[in-house]
Amino acid sequence: MGEQHEDQEHGAEPARPPLTEARAREMTAGLREAMDDVRHSVAVLAARVRDAHAARVWVPLGHSSWESYCQAEFGISRAQAYRLLDVARALAAIHGAVTAGTETSRTRETSPAAAAALDYGLSQRALIAVSSRTDVVTELITHRLATLAHSGLTALDTATVRAVVRQAVRDVRTAPPPSPAEPSTDPVVAAGRQLTDNLFASEYAIGELMLEVAPAYLSDIEAATGALALLCEQIGEPLEHGLAARRYAMSGDPRALHGTVL
């Protein structure tokens, strides 16, 4: 009764007859297609916002600024107007990193083909979240694409590039920014911090080695059942340590090492 009352409070529809598996799969496919359409529209919107702002479209229309233009033409607030710019700039920076690491041509057009080139399946929320850390995101993307290209283990096709981009954005979103630490005047504490920094640096280097044989787009399970297991065996590193170092190299988050190396 409690669950039924809660559903009624939230305006839920009355229970319907159970769906068949075929119908449920059909509805799921339709939902997935709609989500893909929304993500693609973010790329189209970002490309057009970027071009409109670069062209100072508000000037010939008699508006004093970008925010007043957005308010008058689209009825959106100043904060929303600048969030649109954050999305456009973040996506442009990501696309710049991709074009630097692949043979994708650079373009500033807003045609369907140009929008498709910017479509990495990223939501507007994700792009806003990393808009202040695009330097970190682009560095990750550039490095990982270069590692893949040099490894020769896989072609840099569209699916692979999208996976690398989305993983880099996810890693930066989930990793907290490093907190600056004041240097200690206690020599024992300072020496301890130096040892810890050296440990993290060595684990990061090991993680980079792991990424060369098990690229970032592979899950832990896929990595563990592939060449990574053989590499760990050859260098005498426990597999769980190798996986933890790989996660640390992907995210830059020291918590990836907890319970294994640390």
Side-chain angles (χ1 to χ4, degrees):
M1 291 292 292
E3 292 181 359
Q4 181 180 1
H5 179 67
E6 185 178 348
D7 288 344
Q8 289 174 350
E9 283 185 344
H10 288 81
E13 295 183 0
R16 297 179 178 180
L19 290 174
T20 63
E21 180 181 349
R23 177 56 181 155
R25 291 190 182 281
E26 181 184 349
M27 293 177 70
T28 301
L31 182 58
R32 183 176 294 110
E33 182 180 356
M35 289 180 175
D36 288 342
D37 288 344
V38 169
R39 293 189 183 103
H40 179 71
S41 70
V42 171
V44 175
L45 176 62
R48 292 181 178 172
V49 166
R50 178 197 60 192
D51 289 350
H53 188 267
R56 298 175 61 84
V57 69
W58 60 90
V59 174
L61 296 179
H63 302 293
S64 59
S65 63
W66 168 254
E67 58 263 35
S68 63
Y69 162 74
C70 288
Q71 171 64 42
E73 298 292 335
F74 312 115
I76 62 176
S77 67
R78 180 179 186 275
Q80 288 174 310
Y82 282 100
R83 277 198 294 270
L84 286 176
L85 285 180
D86 286 341
V87 169
R89 288 166 178 162
L91 195 54
I94 288 170
H95 190 56
V98 169
T99 57
T102 66
E103 295 181 357
T104 307
S105 61
R106 295 177 182 270
T107 179
R108 290 186 63 83
E109 298 177 359
T110 52
S111 64
L118 291 167
D119 183 12
Y120 303 108
L122 299 170
S123 68
Q124 195 170 19
R125 182 177 179 181
L127 289 164
I128 291 172
V130 299
S131 61
S132 62
R133 304 182 69 191
T134 52
D135 54 337
V136 181
V137 175
T138 55
E139 184 178 355
L140 275 178
I141 293 170
T142 301
H143 176 73
R144 291 174 183 178
L145 289 176
T147 300
L148 282 177
H150 293 151
S151 71
L153 295 176
T154 185
L156 290 181
D157 56 15
T158 301
T160 300
V161 171
R162 278 170 57 98
V164 169
V165 168
R166 293 179 69 172
Q167 185 63 52
V169 170
R170 188 179 301 116
D171 290 343
V172 172
R173 289 185 72 187
T174 56
S179 55
E182 292 292 331
S184 175
T185 56
D186 186 330
V188 175
V189 174
R193 285 180 176 172
Q194 184 61 54
L195 286 173
T196 302
D197 290 343
N198 291 341
L199 172 62
F200 283 134
S202 64
E203 288 303 321
Y204 193 90
I206 291 173
E208 291 288 323
L209 177 62
M210 300 297 157
L211 283 170
E212 289 188 17
V213 298
Y217 65 87
L218 295 177
S219 67
D220 273 6
I221 294 175
E222 291 170 325
T225 55
L228 188 63
L230 179 60
L231 173 62
C232 287
E233 182 180 351
Q234 289 177 340
I235 66 175
E237 183 80 8
L239 179 59
E240 60 270 22
H241 288 189
L243 288 169
R246 177 175 174 269
R247 289 193 294 270
Y248 177 46
M250 287 193 292
S251 66
D253 187 353
R255 292 176 299 180
L257 302 174
H258 290 178
T260 53
V261 179
L262 300 180

